[in-house]
Amino acid sequence: LSRFARTGDRLIGMREWPMSESVATLIPRVGYRTMAWSGRPLEAAGAWVSPDGRLLAVAHHSDVSGVEGDCLLWDLARNREVARVKGIGAQFSVDSRRLFTFARYGENRVRGFDVSVEALADLPGEWHAGASLYEGQRGQTVNGGVLAPDGRTLVIAATDAVVFLDTSGKEPLRTWGKSAHYVSLSPDGR
């Protein structure tokens, strides 16, 4: 960025090699509003809206290499931050009562949080720890995950395996020994 035009509607960018300048017109923000703010500009890893439209989870990378970023939970009706936990990704349960977060660095685990209206009305001190649902293998990394269409199987992408976790706790943990950075499922879950 080299400078703003006097009119305030354009900016001029300059590149050192090869020497050149570019002019860009700024588009006014009409009809948009900021829904979530981390308090400082950081790269967002993703944003997830609860199925009932009540909550927004925004995960962002840390500004320190090798340190887990935060996952911010926002109440959309009140336009305010409700909680902040560690995680690079998130998923909501189909009934919007649970939030699953994926932390890869120090924690290397998947956690579950009660985000029901009742729980968020008065957060107890231990709420921010969540419930540990899965811990990745030592030296490996939990990268993220997605909730399957059945509404209870959480498919986790890790550097050593793809993990199928029954969030109800009724079925044993299943793994597929393939490395994955990202996982996505077809609408029918097959």
Side-chain angles (χ1 to χ4, degrees), residues 126-155:
E126 69 277 1
W127 183 91
H128 288 82
S132 181
L133 302 176
Y134 173 77
E135 186 171 347
Q137 297 294 319
R138 186 180 190 98
Q140 301 298 322
T141 304
V142 169
N143 292 316
V146 66
L147 196 61
D150 69 7
R152 67 172 224 225
T153 304
L154 193 60
V155 184

Side-chain angles (χ1 to χ4, degrees), residues 49-85:
V49 177
S50 61
D52 65 2
R54 181 174 52 92
L55 301 169
L56 170 69
V58 179
H60 64 79
H61 299 285
S62 172
D63 53 358
V64 178
S65 180
V67 174
E68 197 67 59
D70 288 328
C71 186
L72 286 65
L73 184 63
W74 283 80
D75 180 327
L76 292 175
R78 293 180 183 88
N79 197 26
R80 67 178 181 92
E81 184 178 326
V82 176
R84 189 178 290 224
V85 296

